[in-house]
């Protein structure tokens, strides 16, 4: 039993040693490793690009909603500030992904006109920010909008936030689409014979040219059109 196990181990080691000496295995390994690295880089870059695009779409929608709400704010004859939230400002987030919308409208003096009083405010106006509100992850944006009749510094602050449902859906779709395109491009560039110069195959043609520091026992038969057309010897499969 021990002799058979030892023989199997020797055959396994011999097979591994032959694979290490095989030029074909080395070439395939380098191609596979290079392609795998390119795929990982493309996956990361595609994710970052998709995230930026999805955030841009969400910020533009938030800004449009905040402007619609801000334009509905008015000052009556007695000087009181009133606002009636237009349905269109909230309906633009109805994309079928079950997003929840939160908003807050405040005067320059900090008085709440409408919305959620505890809704967090982004640090920078007109710039979307990922926040947490009542155990919900949201994308929020704040707009300072002037209102006629409020005095010299009559600007109201409108903050609108929405959950990440549609944003993540857009990111996922863009990510998979971009990654698929990058994968196809990497495949054709790395594996398509037409993308490799014929001169690159000169050391590996059917001629009896051996690579330095590689032990081979026979001619290297790399079936490529360059070999068939330019080999001094007849091509033998």
């Amino acid at each position: 039993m021990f002799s058979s196990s030892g023989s199997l181990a020797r055959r396994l080691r011999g097979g591994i040693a032959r694979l290490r000496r095989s030029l074909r295995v080395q070439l395939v390994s380098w191609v596979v490793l290079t392609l795998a690295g390119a795929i990982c880089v493309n996956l990361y870059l595609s994710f970052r690009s998709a995230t930026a695009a999805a955030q841009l779409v969400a910020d533009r929608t938030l800004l449009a909603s905040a402007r619609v709400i801000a334009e509905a704010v008015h000052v009556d004859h007695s000087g009181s500030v009133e606002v009636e939230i237009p349905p269109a400002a909230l309906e633009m987030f109805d994309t079928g992904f079950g997003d929840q919308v939160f908003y807050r409208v405040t005067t320059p003096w900090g008085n709440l006109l409408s919305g959620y009083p505890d809704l967090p405010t982004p640090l920078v106006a007109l710039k979307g920010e990922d926040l947490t509100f009542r155990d919900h992850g949201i994308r929020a944006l704040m707009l300072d909008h002037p209102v006629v009749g409020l005095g010299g510094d009559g600007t109201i602050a409108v903050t609108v936030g929405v959950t990440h449902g549609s944003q993540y859906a857009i990111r996922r779709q863009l990510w998979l689409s971009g990654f698929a395109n990058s994968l196809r491009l990497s495949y054709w560039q790395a594996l398509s014979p037409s993308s490799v110069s014929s001169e690159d195959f000169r050391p590996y043609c059917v001629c009896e040219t051996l690579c330095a520091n590689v032990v081979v026992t026979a001619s290297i038969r790399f079936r490529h059109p360059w070999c068939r057309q330019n080999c001094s010897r007849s091509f033998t499969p």
Side-chain angles (χ1 to χ4, degrees):
M1 178 177 180
F2 291 103
S3 60
S4 61
S5 300
S7 176
L8 180 60
R10 285 194 298 271
R11 288 198 297 269
L12 183 60
R13 287 194 296 268
I16 295 175
R18 285 193 295 272
L19 286 177
R20 289 179 177 176
R21 292 195 300 266
S22 172
L23 178 62
R24 183 185 298 271
V25 172
Q26 293 181 25
L27 290 174
V28 172
S29 299
W30 278 111
V31 170
V32 171
L33 290 176
T34 303
L35 186 58
I39 289 174
C40 293
V41 172
N42 286 332
L43 187 63
Y44 173 71
L45 295 179
S46 298
F47 180 80
R48 290 193 58 181
S49 177
T51 300
Q55 288 178 349
L56 178 61
V57 172
D59 292 348
R60 293 297 182 183
T61 308
L62 289 169
L63 180 59
S65 176
R67 282 177 175 168
V68 172
I69 295 174
E71 291 173 357
V73 179
H74 63 277
V75 181
D76 59 14
H77 297 289
S78 62
S80 299
V81 184
E82 297 180 353
V83 58
E84 183 176 351
I85 306 299
L90 306 180
E91 290 175 355
M92 62 180 62
F93 296 101
D94 186 12
T95 56
F97 294 99
D99 283 322
Q100 299 182 33
V101 186
F102 311 96
Y103 61 89
R104 186 181 67 177
V105 184
T106 57
T107 65
W109 309 281
N111 298 327
L112 180 68
L113 296 178
S114 181
Y116 297 83
D118 54 341
L119 180 66
T121 302
L123 299 178
V124 182
L126 300 179
K127 184 177 180 180
E129 185 177 341
D130 290 326
L131 302 171
T132 302
F133 175 61
R134 296 184 180 180
D135 297 331
H136 294 287
I138 63 173
R139 183 78 176 175
L141 183 141
M142 182 185 66
L143 170 67
D144 290 327
H145 187 78
V147 176
V148 178
L150 282 182
D153 56 350
T155 59
I156 61 169
V158 180
T159 303
V160 182
V162 62
T163 52
H164 293 299
S166 60
Q167 178 184 335
Y168 287 170
I170 294 174
R171 182 182 68 181
R172 182 169 56 253
Q173 183 176 0
L174 293 176
W175 181 29
L176 295 179
S177 177
F179 175 65
N181 292 334
S182 300
L183 188 61
R184 285 193 292 267
L185 182 60
S186 299
Y187 171 79
W188 287 114
Q189 286 181 345
L191 300 182
S192 177
S194 60
S195 65
V196 184
S197 173
S198 297
E199 295 298 324
D200 296 335
F201 290 92
R202 184 187 295 272
Y204 312 121
C205 68
V206 75
C207 298
E208 212 165 306
T209 304
L210 304 182
C211 290
N213 301 324
V214 177
V215 179
V216 291
T217 58
S219 298
I220 305 171
R221 304 183 183 279
F222 202 104
R223 292 179 169 85
H224 190 268
W226 191 94
C227 294
R228 298 187 181 92
Q229 296 172 7
N230 301 292
C231 267
S232 59
R233 304 188 181 192
S234 60
F235 181 81
T236 304

